[in-house]
Amino acid sequence: MSLRIVVAVKYVPDATGDRHFAEDLTTDRDAVDGLLSELDEYAVEQALQIAEAAGDAEITVVTVGPEDARGAVLKALQMGAAKGVHVEDDALHGTDVIGTSLVLAKAIEHIGYDLVVTGMASTDGTMGVLPALLAERLGVPQVTLLSEVAVADGKVTGRRDGDAASERLEASLPALVSVTDQSGEARYPSFKGIMAAKKKPLESLDLSDLDIDPAEVGLAGSWTAVEDATARPARTAGTIVKDDGEGGKQLAAFLVEQKFI
Amino acid sequence: MAEVLVYVDHVDGAVRKPTLELLTLARRLGEPVAVHLGPGADTAAPVLAGHGAVRVLTADAPEFADYLVVPKVDALQAAAEAVSPAAVLLPSSAESKEIAARLALRLGSGIITDAVDLTADEQGPVATQSAFAAAFTTRSRVTRGIPVITVKPNSAPVESSPAAGTVEQLAVVFGGLATGTKVVQRAERTSSGRPELTEAAIVVSGGRGVNGAENFTVIEQLADSLGAAVGASRAAVDAGWYPHSNQVGQTGKSVSPQLYIANGISGAIQHRAGMQTSKTIVAVNKDAEAPIFDLVDYGVVGDLFQVVPQLTEEINARKG
Ligand SMILES: Cc1cc2nc3c(=O)[nH]c(=O)nc-3n(C[C@H](O)[C@H](O)[C@H](O)COP(=O)(O)OP(=O)(O)OC[C@H]3O[C@@H](n4cnc5c(N)ncnc54)[C@H](O)[C@@H]3O)c2cc1C
Ligand SMILES: Cc1cc2nc3c(=O)[nH]c(=O)nc-3n(C[C@H](O)[C@H](O)[C@H](O)COP(=O)(O)OP(=O)(O)OC[C@H]3O[C@@H](n4cnc5c(N)ncnc54)[C@H](O)[C@@H]3O)c2cc1C
C-alpha cells in the first residue's frame, strides 16, 4: 500500500530583506519578497528521501497563507513532491499558531496521510511549536526535531539531539515528524523538476471546504494579541580599531574599562 | 493571591538557572508553584523554595524518561487542573516549548514563546518578545484561557526569596498518547566543564575564520581566561570543527550574555538572530566590511590569530 506523506511548508518573508510589521501588527508581507522557509526545504528533502526508500509513496505539500504562499508549494513541487494544496481565505489574515495548527490539521486530514513532515521552526515566527500542536490535534505520535529519520515496516525512527542528551526515538505510523537543518542538505530543483511542476495538481481550499468557522481563525479568533511593536533603536556606532600589532591589548583595555576583566 | 505554575527544568534534581529566573518572573504575577517531574525532587525542592516556590508539586514515573514530551504534558495538565493557575511559565528550551504548545491546546489557551520579559497588569501578564532577528520588540498577551508562556534564559535575575516550598505529590494519569513515541536509547552529553552556553554571562564564539577544528583551542583559551562559554557559527559547525550543541543562531542556541565576542564570524542574519540581544558585542574580523561590525560596541579589524592570543595573554596577565 502506498505511503501517503504530507509536508507542511510555510511561505515567509525573506530574512535578508527589511522585515517589519504592518499597521495591524501582523507581518507585513508586501514589504519583502517571500519564499519557501529555508528550514522547510529540509522537510521536503527528508520526505523525498523517505519516499524514495519506500518506493511506493506519494508526497502532498500543504501551505496555509495568502495568494503568494502558493510560491512555497510550487518550490516543493519543483523539488519533487507530487501534489500541492493551498489553503487560502481572507479570514485567515492574522491567525496565531493555535489557529494555524487547526487549519493545517483539518487540511491534512482532508488530504489523508500516514506521515506528516514539517520543519523545526519557521524563519519568521520561529516559534518551533507548530509540529507539537499538530501532533496533538491529529492524535498521532510526535517524533520531532530529528537530525536523522527513517521509515520502515510501519515505523518511524530517528535521532533527536537535545540539550542534555542525544536520543533515538521510535513510533508507529501514522506519525508526525519534524526535521532540523542537521538532517541533510536539501536538493535544488532541476530543470526537469521545474518543468514537471507546472503540470502537477495544485488544489486550492478555503475555510468552508475544511468546515472551519471563520471566527476560529484570523486576528479576531486569535488567542494571543500583539499590543505594540517597536523597531529596535539603531545601535550607536561602536569603536572600531585596525590591528597594528596592539589590537589584542586595546581590546583588553576596552574589556577592563567595561569591567569584564 | 493567584498561583502561577512554573515548570522545572532540571537534570536529576539539579535545577537549571532559567527555572530560577522563571521563579523571579512568576513572583511578579502571583505565588509560584513549581512542578518537578522525574527523579531528584528532594534535591530540587529546597532550591525551589529558596527562590520563592510556595508549593512544589512532584511526580515521578518511568514514562517521563521512556517516552517523548507527552507524559510531561499529561502531568502539567493535571497540575493546572489541581491549581487553576493565573499563568503557566516554562523555560524556552526546545522540549519545554513543545510541552507548552500541547498544554496550551489542552487548556484552551493561547501561547507565547520566547518572551524576554514579563510584566503584569489587571488583565494579566504582558510578554516582551524580540522579533525578526531582534530588529523589533513586541509586547503581547494571551487573550484566551490560562496564559502559557515560555521565557528565554537570562530574561530575569535569579533572586533568593524564601518561601514554604511545601512538597506535594501530584497524581498523574497518563493518556493514550503518552506512550506514542518511545525513547529507545539515550546518550547523555558529556559536559565540557565550561558554563552552559545559554546561561553564560560571557560567550566567546568562533566562525569560519577559525579555519580548522584544531584552531578552536585559540577560542577556548580566550573563553577560559574569561570564564566564558564557547559558541560557534553554523559554518564552523557544518565544517565539523565544533559540536552542533555549541551553535549560536537561528537554528542553534540563542544567547543573550553580558558580553559576546565573535571571532572570524561575518554576522549573517541567521547568526545575528541568536546573539543580537547580547548586552555588549565585540568582534574580531580581518574584513573591515563584515556586517558584524554594524553591531559591535568594539571591533578589531585584524587577524584573529594575532589578536585573540594577545587578548588572552593580556587577560591572564591582569588576573595575575
Ligand atoms: C515575529 C512573530 C511572532 C509571533 N509570535 C506568536 C506567538 O507568540 N503566539 C502565537 O500564537 N503566534 C505567534 N505568531 C504567529 C505564528 O508564527 C503563526 O501563526 C504561524 O503560522 C505559526 O507559527 P510559526 O510559523 O512560528 O511555526 P513554527 O512552529 O515555527 O513552524 C514549524 C513548522 O510548521 C509548519 N508551518 C508553520 N506555519 C505554517 C503554515 N502557515 N502553513 C504550512 N505550514 C506551516 C512548517 O513546516 C514549519 O517549519 C508570531 C508570528 C511572528 C511573525
Ligand atoms: C535556514 C538557515 C539557518 C541558519 N542558521 C544559522 C545559525 O543558527 N547560526 C549561524 O551561525 N549561521 C546560520 N546559518 C548560516 C548563515 O547564513 C551563515 O552562512 C553563517 O553564519 C556564516 O558563518 P561564518 O560567519 O562563520 O562564516 P563566513 O560568513 O564565511 O564568515 C567568515 C568570516 O571570517 C573572517 N575571517 C576569515 N579569516 C579570518 C582571520 N584569520 N581572522 C579574522 N577574521 C577572519 C572573514 O572575513 C569572514 O567575515 C543559517 C542559514 C540558513 C539558510
Side-chain angles (χ1 to χ4, degrees):
Chain A
M1 210 185 77
S2 177
L3 180 70
R4 297 167 302 164
I5 306 174
V6 179
V7 189
V9 299
K10 190 173 182 185
Y11 192 71
V12 298
D14 187 345
T16 60
D18 181 21
R19 295 177 295 176
H20 53 260
F21 289 92
E23 227 155 81
D24 63 356
L25 301 179
T26 61
T27 307
D28 186 347
R29 287 169 172 273
D30 297 328
V32 184
D33 286 344
L35 44 72
L36 167 63
S37 171
E38 283 158 306
L39 292 171
D40 292 347
E41 290 182 14
Y42 296 92
V44 176
E45 176 61 37
Q46 290 307 312
L48 289 166
Q49 290 190 22
I50 289 165
E52 283 155 12
D56 185 17
E58 183 174 67
I59 302 173
T60 307
V61 179
V62 58
T63 198
V64 176
E67 193 181 347
D68 291 353
R70 183 173 287 263
V73 178
L74 192 62
K75 172 88 186 272
L77 293 178
Q78 292 172 347
M79 289 173 72
K83 294 192 302 181
V85 172
H86 178 197
V87 185
E88 182 190 5
D89 196 305
D90 288 343
L92 283 168
H93 176 79
T95 306
D96 67 358
V97 75
I98 298 277
T100 303
S101 70
L102 170 71
V103 179
L104 274 172
K106 293 266 192 178
I108 290 165
E109 276 164 348
H110 168 92
I111 293 163
Y113 67 97
D114 303 299
L115 179 71
V116 179
V117 186
T118 74
M120 63 184 281
S122 72
T123 58
D124 59 344
T126 65
M127 297 184 71
V129 297
L130 191 121
L133 288 170
L134 213 44
E136 177 78 27
R137 289 206 187 260
L138 295 170
V140 300
Q142 75 167 74
V143 201
T144 44
L145 296 170
L146 302 182
S147 46
E148 226 178 76
V149 57
V151 174
D153 308 324
K155 277 191 164 45
V156 184
T157 51
R159 194 180 87 232
R160 171 171 165 123
D161 294 322
D163 265 354
S166 177
E167 296 166 329
R168 291 216 68 92
L169 305 177
E170 184 183 290
S172 299
L173 296 178
L176 175 136
V177 156
S178 79
V179 301
T180 73
D181 59 333
Q182 298 290 300
S183 60
E185 274 307 304
R187 68 194 66 186
Y188 290 104
S190 63
F191 178 71
K192 210 172 122 211
I194 293 170
M195 296 315 287
K198 294 185 178 161
K199 298 200 193 72
K200 290 178 178 172
L202 204 171
E203 186 185 2
S204 191
L205 300 174
D206 64 16
L207 290 179
S208 65
D209 294 323
L210 296 174
D211 218 9
I212 296 170
D213 179 353
E216 287 191 78
V217 297
L219 265 182
S222 281
W223 298 5
T224 49
V226 182
E227 309 239 295
D228 53 60
T230 42
R232 191 187 166 85
R235 274 191 170 261
T236 42
T239 309
I240 295 179
V241 300
K242 198 170 160 12
D243 179 35
D244 52 8
E246 300 283 298
K249 288 185 183 161
Q250 286 167 288
L251 182 45
F254 170 78
L255 296 180
V256 168
E257 183 192 304
Q258 299 290 314
K259 305 203 172 16
F260 287 115
I261 306 174
Chain B
M1 203 173 174
E3 292 184 311
V4 175
L5 282 187
V6 171
Y7 173 70
V8 178
D9 187 14
H10 68 94
V11 182
D12 296 336
V15 180
R16 295 186 151 183
K17 185 164 154 263
T19 300
L20 302 178
E21 296 165 9
L22 285 185
L23 290 168
T24 300
L25 293 172
R27 282 187 280 117
R28 296 183 191 163
L29 312 176
E31 295 194 308
V33 175
V35 183
H36 180 105
L37 306 177
D42 294 349
T43 316
V47 176
L48 298 165
H51 292 84
V54 294
R55 297 157 71 192
V56 180
L57 310 183
T58 73
D60 193 7
E63 280 83 352
F64 294 128
D66 295 349
Y67 299 93
L68 196 70
V69 174
V70 188
K72 293 172 181 163
V73 181
D74 288 348
L76 270 178
Q77 186 181 10
E81 279 159 10
V83 171
S84 302
V88 185
L89 307 184
L90 305 91
S92 270
S93 70
E95 186 192 33
S96 297
K97 285 207 276 189
E98 294 186 328
I99 296 169
R102 302 184 73 132
L103 178 71
L105 196 54
R106 290 187 190 182
L107 298 178
S109 301
I111 176 170
I112 290 174
T113 58
D114 298 320
V116 295
D117 196 14
L118 275 186
T119 53
D121 61 23
E122 315 77 58
Q123 295 161 60
V126 181
T128 305
Q129 287 169 289
S130 114
F132 300 146
F136 282 82
T137 301
T138 62
R139 292 188 327 128
S140 307
R141 61 168 84 239
V142 169
T143 52
R144 182 167 149 172
I146 301 163
V148 176
I149 302 173
T150 79
V151 180
K152 283 200 184 188
N154 287 325
S155 296
V158 173
E159 290 168 1
S160 91
S161 171
T166 319
V167 177
E168 299 164 44
Q169 282 298 319
L170 176 68
V172 184
V173 181
F174 295 113
L177 298 174
T179 53
T181 307
K182 194 164 172 39
V183 179
V184 290
Q185 197 186 314
R186 175 179 289 118
E188 304 294 337
R189 224 172 265 299
T190 46
S191 164
S192 66
R194 296 195 176 87
E196 186 66 36
L197 187 56
T198 52
E199 300 170 14
I202 303 180
V203 175
V204 175
S205 286
R208 200 193 304 274
V210 174
N211 198 24
E214 63 288 356
N215 298 339
F216 254 87
T217 49
V218 173
I219 305 298
E220 290 180 332
Q221 282 163 358
L222 174 57
D224 292 344
S225 74
L226 291 163
V230 176
S233 75
R234 179 162 148 188
V237 167
D238 282 355
W241 303 340
Y242 225 67
H244 179 248
S245 49
N246 294 71
Q247 183 176 313
V248 172
Q250 187 187 67
T251 53
K253 302 262 163 65
S254 102
V255 299
S256 215
Q258 296 299 320
L259 173 64
Y260 187 81
I261 307 182
N263 302 288
I265 292 177
S266 62
I269 185 80
Q270 297 88 354
H271 188 79
R272 282 156 55 172
M275 50 64 74
Q276 199 156 359
T277 53
S278 304
K279 305 289 176 301
T280 299
I281 298 174
V282 168
V284 178
N285 194 307
K286 67 180 182 190
D287 174 11
E289 304 294 315
I292 191 85
F293 285 124
D294 296 343
L295 300 181
V296 299
D297 297 284
Y298 197 94
V300 181
V301 180
D303 186 337
L304 74 90
F305 294 107
Q306 304 296 326
V307 178
V308 174
Q310 190 180 68
L311 172 61
T312 308
E313 204 175 295
E314 273 296 297
I315 296 168
N316 287 334
R318 278 171 200 267
K319 285 196 303 191

